[in-house]
Structures are given as C-alpha cells and as structure tokens.
C-alpha cells in the first residue's frame, strides 16, 4: 500500500459526460501528480500541484482540469468525454518535489462508452 | 525537444542471468534520474534515484549507472527471478525542471 488513495477505482460513463477523479496523497506529501495511461501505452504526464498551486503542466487537454485543495487532496475533472479518454488515470504524491520519491495510487480505470 | 528513449522491445532473459535495461535521453542535462517498476494495471513503484555525481548506485540485486557524457543510464538486475518480470520506467530530471516525465518503459520477462 503506497498510502495514496484514488477513488473511484472503476468508472463507466457515456460520451459527452463529465467525471471527477479524486486523489488523497500520503500524509505530509505536498506534491500531487496526475497521469493518463491508455491501454499498452506509456504514462502521459498531465499536471502537477505543489501545496495548492499548479507547478507544471503536460499535454493536458482543455477539456480536463484539476485542482489541489487546502487539505492537499486533488481532483481531476474530465468533461465532454470521448471514447479515446478511456484509460487508467494515476495520481502520485511526493514529499516535496520531483527530486523525491513519488508514490502512486492504484489508479482509476475510466471507461467511456 | 526533450526526449527519453527506452528499448520498446521486450527483454527476455533466463532466470539467474543479469538483465540490463537502457535509458537514453536527448536535448537536456538531467541532474537526477529515477527508475520505477510497473506491473500490469498497477501504479509504478519507485526503485532507485541516482544523482549526476554518483555514477553508480546499488540496492540489493539492483544497480544503476548514470553516464552524463553518453546521456545514458543503465539499470541492471542481477540473479534475475521470474518475479522481476515487469515494465521498468526511467525518469531523467533536470534541476529546476519540474515535470516528472517517464520514458515509455521496457518490458522485462524472466523465464524459469
């Protein structure tokens, strides 16, 4: 158990819908990262937050947004969903920044039908 | 643009042998490099971090080297076991560059 909790574990939704994925980082970790992993593909970096502020952005679609709350949990919002958004979405956290070990959650498997 | 290359072909080796995986990077100069292991459908798990001035780092059966001249890191698993079968990811990190970005990974299969 990495200590990073992601909910829900599985999500099935229809095209055009909007979903929210939630991540609770390890206690004391200030950084949260979000990744998308499509079937048999690599991890695509979406966005990183540090202590409530956006720190770095990857190839995140405009339909996607995220935030980190004062209690340090984070949410990833995906809207106007398309079939191609079906993937595993991982959240990771680290104590400080990218130079410290990152701990990954179990992921949320999103299926868009 | 910055690029991370890992061998996309699976590496098949016999149990007991040493597995060597390669991570090459271009167009930047990382000060750190991390290696992770990922099993199917699971989140990656951190293995080792090496700094540019360390050249080599060991942890049990794992050894990582970091050659900033060649822009390459090698990841070795000695006395490999079937349980080592997984995808291994590298993440070179530049000082001040805040994106934790991974290579595509190399799949290792250790056969009994």
């Amino acid at each position: 158990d990495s200590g990073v909790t992601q909910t829900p574990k599985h999500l099935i939704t229809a095209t055009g819908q909007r979903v929210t994925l939630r991540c609770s980082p390890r206690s004391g970790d200030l950084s949260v990262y979000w990744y998308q992993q499509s079937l048999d593909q690599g991890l695509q970096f979406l966005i990183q937050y540090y202590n409530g502020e956006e720190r770095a952005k990857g190839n995140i679609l405009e339909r996607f947004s995220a935030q980190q709350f004062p209690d340090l949990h984070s949410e990833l919002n995906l809207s106007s969903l398309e079939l191609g958004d079906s993937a595993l979405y991982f959240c990771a956290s680290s104590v400080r920044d990218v130079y410290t070990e990152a701990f990954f959650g179990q992921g949320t498997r999103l299926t868009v039908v | 643009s910055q690029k991370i290359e890992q061998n996309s072909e699976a590496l098949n080796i016999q149990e007991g042998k040493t597995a060597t995986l390669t991570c090459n990077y271009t167009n930047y100069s990382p000060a750190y490099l991390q290696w992770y292991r990922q099993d199917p459908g699971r989140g990656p798990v951190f293995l080792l971090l090496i700094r540019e001035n360390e050249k080599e780092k060991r942890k049990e059966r794992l050894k990582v080297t970091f050659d900033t001249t060649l822009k390459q890191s090698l990841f070795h698993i000695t006395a490999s076991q079937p349980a080592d079968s997984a995808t291994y990811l590298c993440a070179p990190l530049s000082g001040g560059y805040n994106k934790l970005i991974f290579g595509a990974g190399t799949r290792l299969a250790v056969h009994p």
Side-chain angles (χ1 to χ4, degrees), chain A residues 4-61:
Chain A
V4 178
T5 303
Q6 288 188 247
T7 56
K9 287 189 172 53
H10 302 276
L11 195 50
I12 301 176
T13 190
T15 54
Q17 295 298 304
R18 172 189 168 94
V19 297
T20 297
L21 312 184
R22 182 188 168 101
C23 171
S24 293
R26 291 189 326 149
S27 176
D29 284 1
L30 298 177
S31 280
V32 168
Y33 314 81
W34 285 99
Y35 294 86
Q36 178 193 57
Q37 189 169 38
S38 302
L39 191 63
D40 292 332
Q41 299 295 309
L43 281 167
Q44 298 299 314
F45 171 72
L46 296 178
I47 198 163
Q48 179 201 350
Y49 283 86
Y50 178 80
N51 202 22
E53 294 188 3
E54 182 183 306
R55 177 60 66 91
K57 218 168 190 177
N59 296 324
I60 186 168
L61 299 173

Side-chain angles (χ1 to χ4, degrees), chain A residues 62-112:
Chain A
E62 285 191 10
R63 301 184 286 109
F64 295 1
S65 65
Q67 55 182 323
Q68 186 180 27
F69 295 87
D71 66 354
L72 301 178
H73 91 271
S74 179
E75 293 181 354
L76 178 67
N77 300 296
L78 314 175
S79 61
S80 303
L81 285 167
E82 302 175 359
L83 296 178
D85 297 327
S86 296
L88 259 174
Y89 290 84
F90 288 107
C91 165
S93 72
S94 65
V95 169
R96 192 177 66 246
D97 51 33
V98 297
Y99 312 113
T100 54
E101 175 182 352
F103 294 84
F104 281 77
Q106 298 169 296
T108 293
R109 184 174 293 280
L110 173 67
T111 303
V112 182

Side-chain angles (χ1 to χ4, degrees), chain B residues 5 14 21 26 28 36 38 48-50 56 61 66 70 73 80 82 85 87-88 90 92 95 109-110:
Chain B
E5 293 181 346
Q14 210 66 30
L21 288 71
T26 54
Y28 68 124
Y36 288 74
Q38 186 176 26
L48 282 166
L49 178 147
I50 186 168
E56 178 181 302
R61 294 184 295 112
F66 192 5
L70 292 178
S73 175
S80 59
S85 299
T87 296
Y88 291 84
C90 71
V110 181

